[in-house]
Amino acid sequence: QWYGSRMALQYGGFGDLWGIPGHCVDMDTGSDKSCDMNSRWVPAFTIPDESAATYVDSTGTTQTVYIKALEKEERMTPLSSCTATLTAYSLPPSTDYVAPDIGSIPTAATNPSDPIASGAPSVVGGVVQ
């Protein structure tokens, strides 16, 4: 319905573009409804990123600008019917846990008064020294 049509939008600065027509939808179902406290206003169309627009500034100078979305949203519509099966799984007992052997604790970790480990690093940038 709107493709190829020209319309005057108002630009009020970074992130402030208004004048796109829209309508209200029910927040639970997504179906069109009259605007009230239980509805959400949504734009009638989305302007694709990198779309060119003509902008006339306050001095009357015309410029071509390109549009980029600051936010995007997807609205899902409910299925007419849904069948799902949930399976219950039991967790293994905590007695099956085996602590990993990662070696000895560095000196600095066992001495709170010395926060810097002593000696040269043994690995730098993933390369063993």
Side-chain angles (χ1 to χ4, degrees):
Q1 165 185 353
W2 302 100
Y3 182 79
S5 46
R6 296 173 58 104
M7 60 181 53
L9 302 177
Q10 296 176 340
Y11 176 67
F14 182 78
D16 195 9
L17 178 68
W18 69 91
I20 295 174
H23 60 278
C24 287
V25 295
D26 185 285
M27 288 193 287
D28 292 327
T29 65
S31 59
D32 291 353
K33 70 174 286 188
S34 60
C35 295
D36 61 20
M37 294 297 291
N38 297 315
S39 65
R40 175 166 164 63
W41 185 90
V42 294
F45 58 86
T46 301
I47 302 172
D49 282 346
E50 302 179 16
S51 294
T54 303
Y55 172 68
V56 181
D57 65 19
S58 59
T59 65
T61 305
T62 302
Q63 305 174 38
T64 298
V65 295
Y66 296 92
I67 296 171
K68 178 174 182 356
L70 295 180
E71 295 178 355
K72 293 185 181 184
E73 145 181 321
E74 289 186 39
R75 290 181 298 277
M76 308 298 175
T77 56
L79 296 173
S80 58
S81 66
C82 177
T83 57
T85 304
L86 298 176
T87 304
Y89 293 100
S90 57
L91 296 172
S94 60
T95 55
D96 287 353
Y97 175 75
V98 177
D101 180 13
I102 58 172
S104 61
I105 298 173
T107 306
T110 58
N111 183 358
S113 63
D114 181 16
I116 301 173
S118 59
S122 58
V123 178
V124 176
V127 179
V128 177
Q129 303 297 308

